Amino acid sequence: MKKKRFLHILHILFFILFSQYVQAQESYYILYNEGNYEKLEKRLVQVIANQPNNILFNHVYGKLYATQAYSKYNLDQAYKYLLNAKELFAAAQINEKERLAKFNLTQRIIQHDFDTVCTKLYDITIAKNTIEDCNLFINTYSKAPKEIRDKIVNHRNDLAYKETMKANTLEAFQSFISTYPQADQKIEAIKIRDEIAYDQAIKINTPDAFKSYVQQYPQSEFTPKIKMLYAQRLFAEQTKNGDYQSFAKFITANPKSEMAPYAIIEMVKIA
């Protein structure tokens, strides 16, 4: 009889303590919803120092930093704490997730709040409209949703390509291709780079210039034409004396040249 009464008392004490715990946890959201941000901050600073891996505390702190009415509004900090909450929740045991569900704190809620902060950071970055700020977003918020990161990457690439088109130099296009190998504009950039390099080679008009082009841009659509020009220019230089020996020497040095048959014809004429 005494044992039953003792267990009953323990049950009541547990219920009271648990109820107090739940109320204490709920109080953080109550303070947030009431807009009592300064009081909430004081409480969070104390508890999160002692429980840095507490999912609820990280979530509330992240929401607080993401609130513009809060005097210390800071999206970087909001991202940090909400990311903590997100990753901690994902690694939590089922019973912990069930406990948090009583506060209406679920993976969906945390993900929504995290995505909202990432979207705000995205909007700020797009508004700044610089390559540097896009790269800062990419490097700083690597855990942001993929669709947001992809948009930032594409915007960064667009900005970089506009600068490349404005410069319109071989060096600028080569730099773009090397720096942004996954950019949608890469194919077009390669084509324009190859064309600029082709025009430069034609202007120089030497065997070395043509040979260099073929070596650097073997896949270029202009390479077959450059190869022919190289063969013709080399043939002209090496057979400028117009004698039998110069044609014979050219064939020996360049047996696979497109101009080798012409050298043979000239040798036959001379012989």
Side-chain angles (χ1 to χ4, degrees), residues 110-136:
I110 296 174
Q111 185 68 53
H112 173 269
D113 292 338
F114 179 71
D115 290 352
T116 298
V117 168
C118 291
T119 299
K120 289 180 180 179
L121 290 166
Y122 165 83
D123 291 338
I124 291 171
T125 301
I126 293 298
K128 289 181 178 178
N129 203 37
T130 69
I131 295 173
E132 292 73 20
D133 283 296
C134 287
N135 282 333
L136 181 62

Side-chain angles (χ1 to χ4, degrees), residues 90-245:
Q93 298 295 321
I94 294 177
N95 60 341
E96 175 68 3
K97 293 178 179 179
E98 291 175 346
R99 184 186 69 80
L100 291 169
K102 295 176 181 178
F103 307 111
N104 196 32
L105 184 55
T106 63
Q107 182 177 8
R108 184 182 64 81
I109 294 294
I110 296 174
Q111 185 68 53
H112 173 269
D113 292 338
F114 179 71
D115 290 352
T116 298
V117 168
C118 291
T119 299
K120 289 180 180 179
L121 290 166
Y122 165 83
D123 291 338
I124 291 171
T125 301
I126 293 298
K128 289 181 178 178
N129 203 37
T130 69
I131 295 173
E132 292 73 20
D133 283 296
C134 287
N135 282 333
L136 181 62
F137 183 102
I138 294 165
N139 295 327
T140 305
Y141 310 115
S142 60
K143 297 296 181 67
K146 184 177 183 300
E147 59 269 23
I148 291 179
R149 286 186 285 111
D150 286 347
K151 286 181 180 179
I152 287 289
V153 168
N154 290 335
H155 186 70
R156 186 270 315 271
N157 293 349
D158 286 341
L159 292 173
Y161 196 60
K162 286 178 182 178
E163 288 189 2
T164 300
M165 292 290 286
K166 185 176 181 180
N168 196 34
T169 64
L170 178 63
E171 294 74 18
F173 281 100
Q174 184 57 61
S175 176
F176 179 87
I177 294 164
S178 301
T179 306
Y180 311 108
Q182 305 302 321
D184 293 338
Q185 301 89 341
K186 180 183 176 182
I187 294 177
E188 181 178 316
I190 289 175
K191 184 175 181 180
I192 296 175
R193 175 206 64 185
D194 291 354
E195 186 172 0
I196 293 174
Y198 170 79
D199 290 339
Q200 291 180 357
I202 293 297
K203 186 176 181 180
I204 296 171
N205 194 31
T206 64
D208 286 344
F210 296 142
K211 184 178 181 180
S212 177
Y213 184 95
V214 172
Q215 291 175 340
Q216 291 185 63
Y217 315 111
Q219 305 302 320
S220 169
E221 63 178 280
F222 300 102
T223 294
K225 187 174 182 180
I226 286 290
K227 282 183 176 180
M228 178 56 73
L229 290 172
Y230 170 70
Q232 292 173 348
R233 195 74 181 82
L234 192 66
F235 177 76
E237 285 195 2
Q238 293 185 359
T239 62
K240 59 185 176 182
N241 292 336
D243 56 20
Y244 187 93
Q245 288 76 14

Side-chain angles (χ1 to χ4, degrees), residues 2-155:
K2 289 182 179 180
K3 185 177 180 180
K4 287 185 178 179
R5 185 177 298 174
F6 176 73
L7 290 174
H8 181 65
I9 292 172
L10 281 180
H11 179 75
I12 292 173
L13 286 173
F14 175 79
F15 179 77
I16 292 172
L17 290 172
F18 181 75
S19 297
Q20 290 175 343
Y21 171 78
V22 170
Q23 289 174 0
Q25 298 282 295
E26 286 180 336
S27 66
Y28 292 94
Y29 288 112
I30 292 172
L31 287 172
Y32 176 81
N33 292 330
E34 290 177 347
N36 200 339
Y37 303 136
E38 306 310 319
K39 184 176 180 180
L40 175 59
E41 177 196 354
K42 289 180 181 179
R43 291 187 59 182
L44 283 171
V45 168
Q46 294 176 350
V47 296
I48 207 161
N50 296 323
Q51 301 181 57
N53 293 329
N54 185 292
I55 298 171
L56 186 146
F57 294 157
N58 276 278
H59 179 247
V60 178
Y61 218 169
K63 284 175 67 67
L64 179 61
Y65 272 117
T67 303
Q68 285 185 299
Y70 174 48
S71 61
K72 297 180 182 178
Y73 172 72
N74 187 318
L75 290 177
D76 285 335
Q77 289 294 91
Y79 173 89
K80 170 188 169 182
Y81 283 106
L82 288 172
L83 177 59
N84 284 345
K86 178 174 174 288
E87 293 182 341
L88 288 168
F89 189 93
Q93 298 295 321
I94 294 177
N95 60 341
E96 175 68 3
K97 293 178 179 179
E98 291 175 346
R99 184 186 69 80
L100 291 169
K102 295 176 181 178
F103 307 111
N104 196 32
L105 184 55
T106 63
Q107 182 177 8
R108 184 182 64 81
I109 294 294
I110 296 174
Q111 185 68 53
H112 173 269
D113 292 338
F114 179 71
D115 290 352
T116 298
V117 168
C118 291
T119 299
K120 289 180 180 179
L121 290 166
Y122 165 83
D123 291 338
I124 291 171
T125 301
I126 293 298
K128 289 181 178 178
N129 203 37
T130 69
I131 295 173
E132 292 73 20
D133 283 296
C134 287
N135 282 333
L136 181 62
F137 183 102
I138 294 165
N139 295 327
T140 305
Y141 310 115
S142 60
K143 297 296 181 67
K146 184 177 183 300
E147 59 269 23
I148 291 179
R149 286 186 285 111
D150 286 347
K151 286 181 180 179
I152 287 289
V153 168
N154 290 335
H155 186 70

